[in-house]
Amino acid sequence: MLISILIEWENAILSELGRTKCLLIEVFSQTQNQSQEFELLVLHNSKQVEKEFILNFINEVIQENGLVSSLPLSVINVDDAHYFQLKNSGVELARGEKIIFFDSDIIPQKGWFDAILEASNQHPKALISGCSFIDNSDLTGKAFALSWFFPLPPSDTQLNEVSLIFSNNFLAPRDLMLSNPYPQMEEGVTRGADTLLWERLKNQGIKLMTHNGARASHPAPNGMIHVCKRGFAEGRDDYMRLFEKEFAVKNPMLRFFKIYFFRCRKVIKSTLVNGKRVDLKPYEIPAALGLMLFYYQLYLIGALTTKLLPSLAKSSWRI
């Protein structure tokens, strides 16, 4: 069976390629001893990065790390496309019966392919995700690992049916994704198409599953400018999602405020209770609390701006 591996290249620009290098090393290394055949498709927007640069980068990673690459490689430009559009285009162009989706800043840990492929054999019609967690190698990572929307790494290695997965590392049948592409979002919204898609798939009886033994490291926002843009954009996108039929409520702003207060409470509770799980030192607690409470004030401003100045919000904060 042929399996297509799709990597969008937009996130690589934000992560400054260090994490993309680690991703490629794991992809080439972990596919070597598998019985399945694989192809690798890299989707990019030439207005952001040129094909030649990507090919040179991949070849350098292979040569510098002594990797053996037998994967057919295609680097494909999709004009004016961003994150979800790149993934949709990859599905259309892939030849595999199943597709593995990786963001270009995610790093699958050892054994990721073994665990996900075994789970897919057991549940061939399901979407099987790895367990995403925030890289907590610095203070920013520790703060976001404790308080952002990614869960802390679990202690078990079980496969569980869930209500939500992340788009940054998962496997799905190609025909399912071809007939159910990521939906087009409202103008200006950059994230959230996956949560809409998951609801629609669950309504069709499709299972979403996460394998806690297939772990993948995700970065925190890269630098203060990215922290600010991400906070504003997340607030805008979460507020706009409340107007989609799958999540619609009578009073979107009231619902948003409830989400906002919940997340602020989570910042305080998780930082104080779970700090040891990410090796947060006592003297780092004030900084971690301050950073994440600041982040969620930006989140609130993003939503309020969307309500009061929708044109400004729609034209700003692309992530």
Side-chain angles (χ1 to χ4, degrees):
M1 179 175 63
L2 176 64
I3 298 177
S4 301
I5 302 171
L6 303 188
I7 299 177
E8 57 74 36
W9 202 264
E10 187 168 63
N11 284 7
I13 300 167
L14 289 172
S15 65
E16 299 176 355
L17 295 176
R19 297 183 61 85
T20 309
K21 176 180 178 180
C22 295
L23 164 65
L24 291 169
I25 291 172
E26 292 301 326
V27 167
F28 289 125
S29 299
Q30 293 191 41
T31 54
Q32 279 300 306
N33 298 320
Q34 302 293 337
S35 59
Q36 297 87 348
E37 295 182 40
F38 297 89
E39 65 170 353
L40 177 59
L41 284 75
V42 177
L43 289 305
H44 73 106
N45 178 345
S46 62
K47 292 182 179 179
Q48 296 177 318
V49 60
E50 292 291 341
K51 176 178 180 178
E52 184 178 0
F53 175 87
I54 296 173
L55 286 171
N56 289 339
F57 179 81
I58 294 174
N59 288 331
E60 287 177 8
V61 171
I62 293 171
Q63 295 171 8
E64 290 176 358
N65 295 276
L67 300 171
V68 177
S69 173
S70 57
L71 300 183
L73 169 65
S74 300
V75 178
I76 303 161
N77 171 54
V78 185
D79 289 333
D80 298 320
H82 292 283
Y83 185 75
F84 289 118
Q85 293 91 344
L86 292 171
K87 292 177 183 287
N88 283 341
S89 296
V91 172
E92 295 174 0
L93 296 167
R95 297 183 296 114
E97 181 179 335
K98 295 185 178 182
I99 297 178
I100 291 174
F101 295 83
F102 282 129
D103 282 8
S104 51
D105 59 353
I106 200 81
I107 304 176
Q109 306 297 286
K110 301 297 183 185
W112 190 96
F113 276 82
D114 290 336
I116 293 296
L117 293 175
E118 180 181 358
S120 181
N121 288 336
Q122 297 171 1
H123 303 275
K125 296 182 180 181
L127 274 65
I128 312 289
S129 170
C131 179
S132 302
F133 65 94
I134 295 294
D135 178 1
N136 59 12
S137 57
D138 59 18
L139 178 57
T140 300
K142 294 176 185 180
F144 275 87
L146 289 166
S147 304
W148 212 13
F149 52 81
F150 288 92
L152 289 165
S155 57
D156 64 84
T157 58
Q158 295 181 353
L159 176 67
N160 301 309
E161 186 171 353
V162 295
S163 60
L164 174 74
I165 63 174
F166 296 109
S167 288
N168 52 43
N169 74 120
F170 75 99
L171 177 148
R174 177 178 179 264
D175 58 353
L176 179 64
M177 296 301 293
L178 194 60
S179 58
N180 296 274
Y182 288 104
Q184 182 68 37
M185 299 296 290
E186 291 289 332
E187 180 186 356
V189 177
T190 55
R191 291 293 189 267
D194 46 0
T195 57
L196 294 179
L197 178 58
W198 308 152
E199 289 299 313
R200 295 172 186 179
L201 291 177
K202 287 187 293 183
N203 289 337
Q204 297 176 34
I206 304 299
K207 290 183 178 181
L208 307 181
M209 309 190 81
T210 293
H211 200 311
N212 289 341
R215 304 195 176 185
S217 165
H218 187 283
N222 184 14
M224 189 51 65
I225 293 177
H226 189 203
V227 167
C228 293
K229 287 179 65 176
R230 184 81 200 211
F232 289 137
E234 190 177 337
R236 174 199 61 205
D237 294 354
D238 281 6
Y239 177 68
M240 291 297 296
R241 188 180 306 123
L242 298 175
F243 293 89
E244 299 288 345
K245 64 179 183 179
E246 289 83 358
F247 299 97
V249 293
K250 290 183 178 179
N251 191 329
M253 185 52 71
L254 177 60
R255 174 60 178 159
F256 181 86
F257 267 104
K258 290 181 179 179
I259 297 171
Y260 160 74
F261 284 120
F262 168 80
R263 294 191 175 186
C264 289
R265 287 196 300 269
K266 179 185 176 182
V267 169
I268 297 171
K269 181 178 180 180
S270 185
T271 302
L272 296 178
V273 174
N274 297 317
K276 290 184 179 180
R277 294 180 61 180
V278 297
D279 195 29
L280 185 71
K281 304 295 191 297
Y283 62 83
E284 294 176 320
I285 291 175
L289 285 170
L291 174 60
M292 294 311 297
L293 289 174
F294 169 70
Y295 180 83
Y296 282 113
Q297 305 322 300
L298 302 176
Y299 175 81
L300 175 60
I301 292 171
L304 292 174
T305 303
T306 304
K307 181 175 178 59
L308 300 174
L309 300 169
S311 296
L312 175 62
K314 291 177 180 179
S315 62
S316 307
W317 316 320
R318 172 157 290 282
I319 55 173

